[in-house]
Amino acid sequence: MKISLLFPPSWHPSQPYLSLPSLTGFLNQAGVNNVVQRDLNMEALDTMLTAGYGQDIYVRLVDRVKHLERVQAGETGPNSKEHYTRIVESLDRFPYLIDRIELAKETLRSEEFYDIERYRDSLFLIDKWLELVSTIYFPTRMTVVDNQFSSYSIYSSKDLVRAISDEEQNPYLELFRSQFLTSILADAPDLIGVSITATSQIIPGLTLCRLIKQANPSIHLTIGGSIFTRLVDNLRRCPSLFDLTDDFIVFEGETALLELVNQLSGKRDMSKVPNLIYRQNGKITVNQPFYSENINELPAPNYDGFPLGRYLAPCTVLPVQFSRGCYYKDCAFCALTLDHQNFRQKDPGRTVDDLQMLSMKYQTPYFFFTDECFALSPTKRLCQQLIDRQLNLQWTCEMRFEKNLSRDLLTQMRDAGCLKIVFGLESFNQRIMDFMKKGIKQDSVRRITEDCLDLGIAIHCYIIVGFPTELEEEALETMNFIVDNERLHSSYGFSCQPCLFDLEKEAPIMSDPGGYGIRRIMRPASEDMSLGFFYEVQSGMTPEQAERLYQHVYEKISEVVCELPFNYSMADGLLYIARAKAQAQQVPQPAGS
């Protein structure tokens, strides 16, 4: 059986995503070797950032402006006066941008990546180029990391069905047809898996599925990824989505995909495939109980076939995993723990074996741990192994501001190659911390922050504005912890991402909304695939007040935080920190870094 695994746009172009390499490694370990995996996100972006693609766009822009000179309807939207104006502006900018677009891309793949002005200019130029391309499909707007389909809601199955067929507003129809569909089908796959892990991938991913099914209905197509894991109940009520795919694999996909391969090669009894949602005889079935992997039996991810030399960075940064799930999982706002139903820790020795193999095979010392949260004791053992083996790897991970996160452990992490730690601070106000069930104290936050700064470990902080019952002064206390702490925000590599509170489906707060001061929960009837809810509160800031304050907090933090590269990309930031550290120590860098 031939298998193709596809990762659709849009995702960050600095590094690969972990899902497909994890599945490929598992299938290979089980003896399933006829597997092709493609990062269509990077392939598509690489294609669009070329002069050849630009020449085709130019012809279409000229044709469209001639059409709109004759036919215009309305002030805004497709084929409107605003659309005409945008295309005229794009034609004016076109000569300047097309002469520079390939240079911008190559700059980010070269040593000039580390010249911050060249880095910023290249990203800015790429964004302007994608804006130009998008004007054909106005009001749709493509960016490097997102797609803004303003005419459609990604949370409505009816809107999605319309969006994936909209030739005027969906740029991926023509892009996939002209550039990728032929090569995907040329592999003659029996099974195609499409990984949709972010909201930015929903419309491009489903568009790809529709085109594949139209071209060859006999190919078995399955969709996986965390987005649909959070929509299990919704999928039961969205039969139209099963016209685009044969089934969905939710939660963890390794064993499920392997068993799907086995069933397609044999009796085709889909009831035997764990974590599968499928339609049979008009009935949508969810196979339960959901299966969780034995993490110590999972092999290292396999990145073979991924375009590692085409990512927009001068050196490869590979995502890896040390654990699945969250050992704490009590934070009231967090729905991430749903993706992995329980916490499991991989043996530190096996993890270091994987890191050593991956580093040698793909010629990189740089790793990005995707774990939701590093547990303390296993981290100590992991770091000791890294130190003992003298692998000289450099990496980043996520942790909690635990009172037991000691300076000694942080020192050991630094010595083992940890360059940056991502913390979910959320709030620096103790009442809100406690109300969120964060399980952390202000004193711990202050001490760990100072320890990291003393040791030269960069810090990232996520913060949340507008948690139910939060007052303006409590949110400002969190903001001021960042803004007034010059030693923190001026430290090299520091980054901070403020987020507006979102009442997410499956978050613990949903089990007792009244207990968290939520008076009423609403969802538009049309949004049958919503990942969150509108709500009203009994006290504290209203959602509208919280949104206004969030804008203020975002602006104030942006004044003191280095947006590029550290707030833009963890992977880019990791490379910048590694370069700065090497220069400070006068250590030779690996080739291409």
Side-chain angles (χ1 to χ4, degrees), residues 58-77:
Y58 180 79
V59 172
R60 297 178 66 188
L61 287 169
V62 170
D63 288 344
R64 183 58 62 91
V65 82
K66 289 178 180 178
H67 172 74
L68 291 179
E69 284 172 349
R70 300 190 307 269
V71 180
Q72 291 182 22
E75 296 295 324
T76 189

Side-chain angles (χ1 to χ4, degrees), residues 190-192 209 212-213 216-223 241-249 260 264 268 270 276-280 283-285:
D190 302 291
L191 167 65
I192 290 179
C209 292
I212 291 170
K213 273 298 185 185
N216 190 343
S218 66
I219 295 175
H220 190 97
L221 198 151
T222 189
I223 295 175
L241 296 182
F242 291 86
D243 296 332
L244 308 174
T245 183
D246 291 286
D247 39 54
F248 294 84
I249 291 176
L260 180 60
L264 291 175
R268 304 181 74 89
M270 297 307 168
L276 194 73
I277 304 178
Y278 60 102
R279 182 171 64 181
Q280 193 170 55
K283 179 185 177 183
I284 296 174
T285 299

Side-chain angles (χ1 to χ4, degrees), residues 353-468:
D353 288 343
D354 291 347
L355 293 171
Q356 185 170 9
M357 182 276 292
L358 291 168
S359 179
M360 293 179 63
K361 182 177 183 181
Y362 299 109
Q363 293 298 293
T364 181
Y366 304 117
F367 292 93
F368 185 102
F369 282 98
T370 65
D371 305 45
E372 291 171 26
C373 190
F374 264 29
L376 302 186
S377 181
T379 300
K380 182 176 182 179
R381 300 198 302 275
L382 175 80
C383 291
Q384 192 59 55
Q385 291 240 9
L386 287 170
I387 293 168
D388 291 345
R389 298 197 205 181
Q390 298 181 333
L391 298 183
N392 298 318
L393 305 182
Q394 295 177 297
W395 46 276
T396 183
C397 69
E398 187 162 346
M399 301 190 82
R400 285 169 40 79
F401 282 113
E402 294 272 13
K403 66 177 181 180
N404 293 324
L405 177 52
S406 67
R407 188 182 181 98
D408 286 345
L409 178 54
L410 290 168
T411 302
Q412 190 179 30
M413 291 175 67
R414 179 202 62 188
D415 295 345
C418 179
L419 299 185
K420 185 168 186 174
I421 301 176
V422 178
F423 291 102
L425 172 61
E426 324 312 354
S427 175
F428 191 66
N429 175 269
Q430 193 63 59
R431 185 188 77 83
I432 295 297
M433 284 184 191
D434 295 342
F435 199 45
M436 288 178 169
K437 297 187 177 178
K438 283 292 297 179
I440 61 176
K441 300 295 182 184
Q442 281 186 341
D443 288 347
S444 297
V445 174
R446 288 193 187 94
R447 177 189 56 79
I448 293 168
T449 298
E450 291 300 313
D451 285 345
C452 287
L453 296 175
D454 290 345
L455 295 168
I457 300 174
I459 295 170
H460 175 90
C461 287
Y462 286 111
I463 63 175
I464 293 175
V465 176
F467 191 76

